[in-house]
């Protein structure tokens, strides 16, 4: 059976449910591990990237994503590395649009550093993308350069302008970094809310070797939340956007503020996600090493049966959760691969 064409509103197979009764309805796909930035918490400066020959083609990524949609995945996030630096990436978005059109997919979205957004915003909107996440940790151009090592804040702001002009709803994601952007959290919230954008803070996770020590970067969001209460009135919101963030409304700005707290409040009990890398490896958890190779069964046959069987088998191994810890005594990251490989 080929999953590339799925009848309107139909899934081809019973949905994916893991051993803990959690339905898997959300796939994140890292379409490249490469990036035009080198954010200090994400990558080392001299990263070694995967050999290009190991990468799935965009046609193969389409086939795999379509197999997941056929298995009941309703939300697809394209990420990386920097997804918009992969050559011809718009063809994958164009391909996925057919699943939005058929009703098989509820949402097609992207997480980007914004560097290429000015170029692609209109095309993304034309492919049915409605909401995007842009990662931005500071409003200070010099600090931005230091955090990203190579990035230009102005280009990112131009990208955000273009995205909003194209009608995309933008959420800003910022990693909370101790002593780096701590003092900017309030101005950034006010800036984002002033532009009608949601704003989400993320705790640093111990993924992959980097030069700085993550314990020096880590800022607890419980602490940030407590200090924000001196300034704002926070009202808990029931909203879940299918992702790990928990939201509050700030009465003073009227905007939404999200917290992604893998360290201080593990969100695994409601995890509905799996992650596919650009080489066709499926990770059932961001914070565990166990994985399934989908490239071999994909390439073994023109039929999707082998890959569907491999996906089903992998879901039976989805673990209960991660066990991230950041402490001096434990200097090694929880998992060896960087966030750019598994996809944020
Ligand atoms: N390049 C794109 C971007 O930066 O938005 C997409 C990929 S990036 C790996 C996805 C998200 O992961 C970004 O918001 C980034 O800030 C976050 N991230 C990367 N490494 C992280 C880490 N070690 N801990 C927490 N968040 C991290
Ligand atoms: Fe690149 Fe995103 Fe990682 Fe920054 S966080 S280095 S932009 S992949």
């Amino acid at each position: 059976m080929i999953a590339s064409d799925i009848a309107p509103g139909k899934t081809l197979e019973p949905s994916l449910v893991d051993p803990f009764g959690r339905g898997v309805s959300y796939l994140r796909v890292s379409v490249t591990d490469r990036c035009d930035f080198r954010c200090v918490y994400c990558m080392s400066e001299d990263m070694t990237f995967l050999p290009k020959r190991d990468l799935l083609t965009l046609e193969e990524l389409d086939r795999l994503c379509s197999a997941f949609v056929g298995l009941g995945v309703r939300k697809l996030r394209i990420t990386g590395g920097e997804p918009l630096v992969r050559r011809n990436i718009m063809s994958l978005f164009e391909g996925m649009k057919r699943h939005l059109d058929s009703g098989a997919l509820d949402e097609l979205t992207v997480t980007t550093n914004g560097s290429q957004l000015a170029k692609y915003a209109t095309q993304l909107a034309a492919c049915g993308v409605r909401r995007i996440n842009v990662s931005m940790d500071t409003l200070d151009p010099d600090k931005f350069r230091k955090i990203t090592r190579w990035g230009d804040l102005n280009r990112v702001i131009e990208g955000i302008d273009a995205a909003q002009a194209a009608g995309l709803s933008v959420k800003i994601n910022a990693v909370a970094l101790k002593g780096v952007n701590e003092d900017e959290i309030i101005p950034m919230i006010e800036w984002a809310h002033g532009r009608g954008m949601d704003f989400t803070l993320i705790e640093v996770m111990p993924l992959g070797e980097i030069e700085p020590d993550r314990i020096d970067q880590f800022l607890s969001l419980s602490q940030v939340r407590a200090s924000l209460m001196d300034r704002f009135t926070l009202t808990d919101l029931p909203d879940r956007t299918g992702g790990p963030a928990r939201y509050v409304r700030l009465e003073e700005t009227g905007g939404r503020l999200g917290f992604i707290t893998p360290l201080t409040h593990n969100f695994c009990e409601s995890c509905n996600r799996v992650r596919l890398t650009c080489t066709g490896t499926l990770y059932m958890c961001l914070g565990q090493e166990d994985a399934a190779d989908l490239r071999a069964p994909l390439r073994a046959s023109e039929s999707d049966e082998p890959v569907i069987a491999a996906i089903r088998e992998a879901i039976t191994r989805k673990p209960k959760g991660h066990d991230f810890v950041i402490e001096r005594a434990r200097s090694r990251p929880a998992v060896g691969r960087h966030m750019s490989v598994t996809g944020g």
Side-chain angles (χ1 to χ4, degrees):
M1 193 182 298
I2 304 286
S4 54
D5 293 305
I6 297 159
K10 284 260 164 52
T11 57
L12 295 177
E13 304 266 339
S15 314
L16 299 168
V17 179
D18 80 0
F20 304 96
R22 297 169 300 188
V24 174
S25 56
Y26 185 176
L27 177 68
R28 295 192 179 195
V29 188
S30 174
V31 294
T32 175
D33 63 331
R34 284 155 209 267
C35 187
D36 52 346
F37 292 2
R38 291 287 181 281
C39 301
V40 290
Y41 48 80
C42 180
M43 293 193 182
S44 65
E45 192 156 15
D46 58 340
M47 287 288 285
T48 311
F49 294 107
L50 296 163
K52 283 210 168 134
R53 63 175 180 279
D54 288 353
L55 262 56
L56 295 181
T57 64
L58 291 169
E59 292 73 23
E60 287 173 324
L61 279 170
D62 183 314
R63 226 184 116 197
L64 265 183
C65 291
S66 300
F68 276 96
V69 173
L71 287 165
V73 159
R74 309 284 315 175
K75 176 166 173 172
L76 198 60
R77 178 174 298 279
I78 307 299
T79 177
E82 175 45 43
L84 300 184
V85 301
R86 176 145 182 187
R87 191 175 318 145
N88 214 9
I89 188 62
M90 281 304 129
S91 66
L92 182 63
F93 286 94
E94 281 155 15
M96 290 302 103
K97 182 173 186 294
R98 72 185 182 281
H99 299 312
L100 290 172
D101 293 343
S102 76
L105 192 63
D106 292 332
E107 186 166 31
L108 173 63
T109 184
V110 61
T111 300
T112 173
N113 66 21
S115 68
Q116 313 297 315
L117 249 187
K119 185 167 156 200
Y120 289 126
T122 314
Q123 287 179 66
L124 286 170
C127 292
V129 174
R130 294 287 164 260
R131 301 187 305 156
I132 63 170
N133 289 353
V134 179
S135 306
M136 213 184 102
D137 306 320
T138 175
L139 285 168
D140 174 332
D142 294 331
K143 214 188 274 182
F144 188 81
R145 169 76 63 174
K146 285 197 184 104
I147 295 173
T148 60
R149 293 194 181 103
W150 298 356
D152 175 358
L153 181 64
N154 279 334
R155 273 186 71 181
V156 175
I157 306 265
E158 281 166 23
I160 293 169
D161 292 342
Q164 290 194 303
L168 297 172
S169 160
V170 179
K171 174 161 84 78
I172 301 294
N173 281 344
V175 177
L177 298 164
K178 187 160 71 185
V180 177
N181 60 3
E182 232 179 314
D183 57 329
E184 273 197 273
I185 290 178
I186 291 176
M188 287 192 79
I189 293 171
E190 287 173 336
W191 171 80
H193 288 179
R195 294 189 53 143
M197 305 187 290
D198 285 349
F199 185 79
T200 291
L201 287 163
I202 308 174
E203 282 177 342
V204 169
M205 289 175 258
L207 302 173
E209 295 282 0
I210 53 167
E211 293 97 5
D213 194 334
R214 284 211 175 82
I215 195 154
D216 295 328
Q217 300 177 333
F218 179 70
L219 177 61
S220 148
L221 289 186
S222 314
Q223 208 179 307
V224 171
R225 189 182 164 123
S227 67
L228 287 175
M229 286 164 85
D230 294 339
R231 173 68 171 265
F232 298 114
T233 316
L234 280 58
T235 308
D236 283 316
L237 292 173
D239 317 16
R240 300 303 298 265
T241 52
R246 281 162 213 276
Y247 287 96
V248 296
R249 167 97 44 218
L250 300 192
E251 300 308 323
E252 291 75 4
T253 63
R256 283 201 310 174
L257 171 65
F259 296 94
I260 300 184
T261 55
L263 279 293
T264 55
H265 182 278
N266 162 323
F267 40 67
C268 303
E269 74 282 354
S270 58
C271 182
N272 57 353
R273 296 172 288 287
V274 288
R275 296 159 196 269
L276 183 67
T277 73
C278 56
T279 55
T281 303
L282 184 71
Y283 285 97
M284 287 71 81
C285 174
L286 177 64
Q288 301 283 357
E289 299 285 8
D290 190 30
D293 173 33
L294 301 184
R295 187 177 55 186
L298 185 80
R299 289 185 175 167
S301 166
E302 280 186 10
S303 153
D304 286 334
E305 300 292 351
V307 84
I308 287 173
I311 295 169
R312 289 198 170 285
E313 188 281 325
I315 299 304
T316 67
R317 287 188 275 133
K318 185 166 163 62
K320 196 165 180 197
H322 64 69
D323 24 50
F324 290 144
V325 184
I326 291 189
E327 58 188 22
R328 292 251 178 245
R330 217 193 283 195
S331 57
R332 293 196 61 72
V335 293
R337 60 186 190 278
H338 294 85
M339 185 82 155
S340 48
V341 173
T342 335

